[in-house]
Amino acid sequence: MGDTRHNLHRFFGGLVLDGHKSESTTLPITRLPMPDRLILPLREHIGEEDKLVVGPGDAVLKGQVLAQATDYVSAPLHAPTSGSVIDIGDYPVPHPSGLNAPCVVIQPDGDDRWIELPSQETSVEALTPEEIRRRVRRAGVVGLGGAAFPTAVKLNPGPNKPIHTLVLNGAECEPYITCDQMLMRERATEVVAGMRILMRALGAQQALIGVEDNNPSSAQALEQALADAGERDARVVSVPTRYPTGGERQLIKVLTGKEVPANGLPANIGIVCQNVATAAAVYHAVVKHFPLVSRVITVAGAGVGQPRNLEVLLGTPVADLIEFCGGYKADASRLLMGGPMMGFSLGTDQVPVIKATNCLLVQNRSEIASENGELPCIRCGECAKVCPAQLLPQQLYWYARARDLEKVQDYNLFDCIECGCCAHVCPAHIPLVQYYRYAKTEIWAMEKERRKSDLARRRHEARQLRIEQEKAEREERMRRKKEALGRVGAAEPEDPKKAAIAAAVERAKAKAAARKAGININSEQDGGA
Amino acid sequence: MLSAVLALSLLAGFFGLVLGYSAQRFRVEADPVVDQVDALLPQTQCGQCGFAGCRPYAEAIASGEADINQCPPGGEATIVALADLLGRDPKPLSEEHGEEKPKMVAVIRENECIGCTKCIQACPVDAILGAAKQMHTVIADECTGCELCLPPCPVDCIDMVVVETGLSEWRWPLPHSKDDFLRGEQATTDEAA
């Protein structure tokens, strides 16, 4: 499939992995029955925590805003169904820390009643880019590929970064995950309509939809949808199946041959990359005014009864999804959110699914057996051969392990995309990515501490200065007073008030004298007449 | 022979002039070492080191009056960083100056506060807000946890509270210190299934 004329390129490194895509694609996307309760973390995306606008006991309608975005890089949170807010408090959230975080808990009433939405469907051509961004922002759309970066921000690269190409990311390169594949297959028209809206918002002249060549059915569906919509500026490009082709930088390199600069964004080279599921969500947000309240999630792995794709309301507990898919098998050993390469293990299945959740993976014992036992690094260099960011994973590992946070940055730690290729090929089974994540979070914490201590220093210095100034002022006042007192005994009183009174008295006297003189003159004149 | 001596003396004189001029022209007023040391200190301004704030301690370290292990809030990390900067050997934190504690902030029990303003005067970073006979409160983001507000409070209404680790402060641990769900907990998962 795809356009064979398109000139493809190759990114450095990467791996050919066993895809395990067929297990979860036998059944169509199914809507999960209404759960008993929904748990919605106030911080679902990169950026600040949202500001709550509902209270316990409030009745809410589907699509009603629960929490407002607090700054530019954030997105509001909406009620996924109608019901009542039964609690606001700390609950376990899907995060590698396993910590609890503030959540809104909703008990659905079963009616699934929408809040009143603007009814008219607008034609996309009539909308300005600003209006599109406004609607996308209002609907709380974030990147559904896994990073959950607010989409409206990505649609606003700034006036001096003209965008010529929109890259739609349908390269779902991580094993087991098939939610984008199923979405492209079943809802290609929505993806294409969303693509048109994204192109309009960005002013992009062309769009490239990258789909892996192990997934011809999705490519076919998209091509059909493009033809039906009469799209001439967009094409579906079949890319070789190679992990991590679905990485933003890797896909751009494969499709265009261009490299995104380190510390830069794709917008720097005139490209914006969006996930296909995000495009579909943008279509719903802009044309139908629907906020983002559900998404497609893959439940897969050898440890679960029936792997499949589900359309799930955000906030649904993970346990509900697993149960719907036939529950855990007897040899289930580990529950991951995300794929086997980049996912993180969950401490409990009571956590809810969030906007960033693309997959729930239940691994069995045999799948995780090889991970036990970290051996010493033998410096074989396999990791450097597969690193798609062309880093030196070994060096990063040594310095991260030695907690040398400066050196590890010299080796460009922050260009690491945490794809896990290095750890996958490591013959010593070293969990390399965790070392890098450790170093990254340590560096962020250090920088935060430094900023805090700089603030404390500035405030302390300002206080010191103020105290000195106050002291000097007080001394100055005392000195003046003393001087004034000293003069009382020595010379005439120099009190301005007294002087003013004296002057007024003088003036009055002079006036009286003048009047007297005037009368005299008058009388003289009278006398003279 | 004479020409060589002359040439060398001329060169010596010339370089002497250049050096003398640049010493005057590019004179650095402050001691750069003090600034570097000060940058590594945590800026709590708590005075546990025995000096009236972080900068005086930095000056004392630079002049050799104080040792590098007298800062309990900075702890081991600060000692290692200072040792690195000054080319000395790191040593354990001096016990007489206190012990390393988790990060804390002061919290005023507001219904007990009598509005005396004594803590406001004690706070080295102006992180306490209030006025005479009005309730006071601590601006948590700006509190350094120095504990200097505790002794002056006549009604003991200030607590030091350990800062909780939220999601944004959480750090990945080094590998092999984490338990997985399901592994070793097969009984509970079977129940769930």
Side-chain angles (χ1 to χ4, degrees):
Chain A
M1 285 328 112
D3 196 328
T4 45
R5 285 166 302 164
H6 190 88
N7 194 11
L8 288 175
H9 303 262
R10 198 172 176 284
F11 66 89
F12 181 87
L15 292 169
V16 177
L17 299 170
D18 195 356
H20 292 285
K21 303 274 190 187
S22 57
E23 294 94 322
S24 56
T25 50
T26 52
L27 297 170
I29 299 174
T30 315
R31 192 175 280 275
L32 190 76
M34 185 64 73
D36 294 336
R37 58 175 200 165
L38 298 168
I39 307 157
L40 296 133
L42 288 180
R43 194 186 144 144
E44 286 220 358
H45 45 74
I46 292 172
E48 288 293 307
E49 196 170 272
D50 286 346
K51 189 169 154 275
L52 204 63
V53 291
V54 294
D58 286 6
V60 291
L61 290 172
K62 182 170 188 166
Q64 185 178 333
V65 175
L66 297 176
Q68 287 287 6
T70 45
D71 66 355
Y72 183 59
V73 189
S74 64
L77 186 67
H78 301 83
T81 185
S82 58
S84 54
V85 177
I86 53 170
D87 192 19
I88 287 163
D90 285 1
Y91 286 86
V93 292
H95 190 269
S97 64
L99 288 172
N100 293 3
C103 295
V104 182
V105 183
I106 292 179
Q107 186 163 36
D109 58 12
D111 297 341
D112 209 23
R113 203 146 45 85
W114 274 98
I115 195 167
E116 210 170 299
L117 296 170
S119 53
Q120 82 286 12
E121 291 193 7
T122 30
S123 89
V124 178
E125 300 307 321
L127 296 174
T128 60
E130 290 75 28
E131 176 64 13
I132 294 173
R133 280 201 294 273
R134 206 175 62 77
R135 290 187 186 187
V136 168
R137 167 173 281 278
R138 206 176 45 193
V141 179
V142 300
L144 297 179
F149 189 79
T151 304
V153 179
K154 225 172 162 181
L155 290 182
N156 192 12
N160 40 15
K161 285 181 191 161
I163 302 300
H164 53 75
T165 304
L166 168 72
V167 168
L168 266 202
N169 192 343
E172 206 170 27
C173 57
E174 214 174 335
Y176 293 98
I177 309 177
T178 55
C179 56
D180 288 350
Q181 178 177 340
M182 294 302 285
L183 185 104
M184 286 187 282
R185 199 194 287 177
E186 296 186 12
R187 302 175 188 173
T189 48
E190 292 174 14
V191 174
V192 168
M195 177 198 76
R196 177 42 65 185
I197 298 167
L198 291 171
M199 284 172 77
R200 180 157 178 78
L202 292 163
Q205 290 99 45
Q206 62 158 347
L208 298 170
I209 312 180
V211 181
E212 285 194 311
D213 57 10
N214 64 351
N215 182 15
S217 58
S218 299
Q220 213 165 14
L222 284 171
E223 268 168 2
Q224 187 60 47
L226 284 180
D228 292 347
E231 290 285 353
R232 294 207 190 127
D233 310 322
R235 52 181 9 184
V236 181
V237 184
S238 177
V239 296
T241 303
R242 187 176 184 83
Y243 180 81
T245 306
E248 185 172 77
R249 284 155 192 259
Q250 283 67 37
L251 187 62
I252 289 171
K253 168 85 189 192
V254 169
L255 290 176
T256 67
K258 288 183 188 163
E259 292 212 11
V260 180
N263 304 319
L265 292 171
N268 294 8
I269 54 170
I271 297 171
V272 165
C273 185
Q274 296 279 5
N275 176 269
V276 285
T278 315
V282 164
Y283 160 74
H284 285 293
V286 174
V287 177
K288 306 202 163 180
H289 305 276
F290 286 156
L292 180 64
V293 294
S294 69
R295 66 159 297 154
V296 181
I297 293 172
T298 308
V299 180
V304 70
Q306 171 60 59
R308 66 194 299 175
N309 279 280
L310 301 172
E311 164 123 41
V312 186
L313 293 179
L314 300 174
T316 306
V318 165
D320 286 30
L321 279 80
I322 304 285
E323 199 189 315
F324 187 79
C325 294
Y328 300 104
K329 283 187 185 167
D331 61 349
S333 312
R334 187 159 66 171
L335 176 63
L336 292 179
M337 186 169 279
M341 301 295 283
M342 295 185 70
F344 56 90
S345 70
L346 293 176
T348 160
D349 57 9
Q350 293 307 306
V351 297
V353 299
I354 55 173
K355 290 176 183 177
T357 307
N358 51 7
C359 179
L360 293 170
L361 186 65
V362 187
Q363 294 179 313
N364 67 12
R365 244 171 252 141
S366 64
E367 281 175 302
I368 62 165
S370 62
E371 289 174 27
N372 295 332
E374 175 184 341
L375 298 167
C377 172
I378 55 166
R379 289 231 179 232
C380 63
E382 284 300 312
C383 48
K385 283 187 208 156
V386 296
C387 177
Q390 302 186 55
L391 303 175
L392 296 172
Q394 231 180 71
Q395 297 303 103
L396 290 172
Y397 159 66
W398 289 119
Y399 291 120
R401 206 179 133 147
R403 300 168 199 233
D404 192 339
L405 300 180
E406 259 175 49
K407 208 76 176 177
V408 83
Q409 287 180 83
D410 291 346
Y411 282 88
N412 302 312
L413 172 70
F414 285 101
D415 285 334
C416 168
I417 57 168
E418 301 179 17
C419 65
C421 284
C422 51
H424 188 84
V425 297
C426 181
H429 308 301
I430 300 170
L432 291 161
V433 178
Q434 198 181 332
Y435 282 100
Y436 310 149
R437 285 175 174 162
Y438 158 79
K440 282 182 184 178
T441 46
E442 283 296 308
I443 290 166
W444 288 328
M446 208 174 70
E447 274 169 7
K448 204 170 168 185
E449 234 158 69
R450 183 158 298 163
R451 274 199 299 278
K452 198 166 176 203
S453 73
D454 282 346
L455 176 74
R457 183 186 297 115
R458 277 203 305 280
R459 289 181 71 85
H460 181 62
E461 279 167 4
R463 177 190 152 88
Q464 221 92 344
L465 196 71
R466 194 191 69 222
I467 290 172
E468 257 164 48
Q469 262 172 6
E470 276 172 5
K471 203 174 155 196
E473 271 167 28
R474 210 169 37 238
E475 273 170 11
E476 176 68 19
R477 262 204 312 279
M478 295 290 282
R479 195 178 56 78
R480 274 204 203 147
K481 222 173 195 176
K482 243 181 203 164
E483 271 177 20
L485 281 172
R487 269 201 297 268
V488 173
E492 292 284 301
E494 271 288 318
D495 197 330
K497 221 173 187 177
K498 274 186 185 166
I501 293 167
V505 170
E506 286 294 313
R507 270 203 306 281
K509 271 185 189 166
K511 242 182 199 168
R515 208 166 40 236
K516 224 176 180 180
I519 292 164
N520 286 348
I521 291 164
N522 285 347
S523 58
E524 273 168 25
Q525 279 171 347
D526 290 343
Chain B
M1 171 68 188
L2 187 70
S3 63
V5 169
L6 210 66
L8 283 175
S9 326
L10 272 173
L11 274 175
F14 171 71
F15 283 120
L17 283 173
V18 169
L19 284 173
Y21 171 74
S22 44
Q24 291 294 324
R25 176 78 181 73
F26 305 110
R27 179 196 278 288
V28 181
E29 284 303 331
D31 186 355
V33 177
V34 174
D35 282 334
Q36 284 170 1
V37 172
D38 192 39
L40 294 178
L41 295 174
Q43 304 301 323
T44 46
Q45 318 293 351
C46 61
Q48 288 182 71
C49 51
F51 296 89
C54 294
R55 181 125 198 133
Y57 178 44
E59 282 160 7
I61 291 177
S63 66
E65 284 168 42
D67 214 337
I68 57 171
N69 62 347
Q70 300 181 3
C71 178
E76 199 194 323
T78 300
I79 295 172
V80 171
L82 285 173
D84 212 31
L85 173 73
L86 302 168
R88 299 191 203 165
D89 284 330
K91 45 175 89 173
L93 184 66
S94 146
E95 271 172 29
E96 59 174 303
H97 293 100
E99 55 188 22
E100 198 172 347
K101 286 188 226 167
K103 275 217 165 317
M104 301 211 265
V105 288
V107 176
I108 293 175
R109 290 197 298 279
E110 289 167 352
N111 48 357
E112 289 173 34
C113 171
I114 55 167
C116 69
T117 76
K118 284 191 170 145
C119 56
I120 296 179
Q121 290 155 38
C123 179
V125 290
D126 287 334
I128 302 177
L129 205 65
K133 293 182 185 166
Q134 307 291 322
M135 184 190 79
H136 303 346
T137 195
V138 177
I139 308 168
D141 278 351
E142 277 154 15
C143 173
T144 64
C146 68
E147 303 185 12
L148 288 180
C149 50
L150 300 186
C153 181
V155 290
D156 281 336
C157 71
I158 307 177
D159 294 320
M160 296 307 296
V161 177
V162 175
V163 181
E164 267 186 58
T165 317
L167 290 188
S168 48
E169 288 92 35
W170 181 79
R171 311 177 201 178
W172 276 89
L174 274 172
H176 302 301
S177 48
K178 194 165 150 228
D179 300 316
D180 283 327
F181 174 57
L182 300 176
R183 192 187 284 179
E185 279 186 276
Q186 207 53 52
T188 50
T189 53
D190 287 343
E191 275 168 31

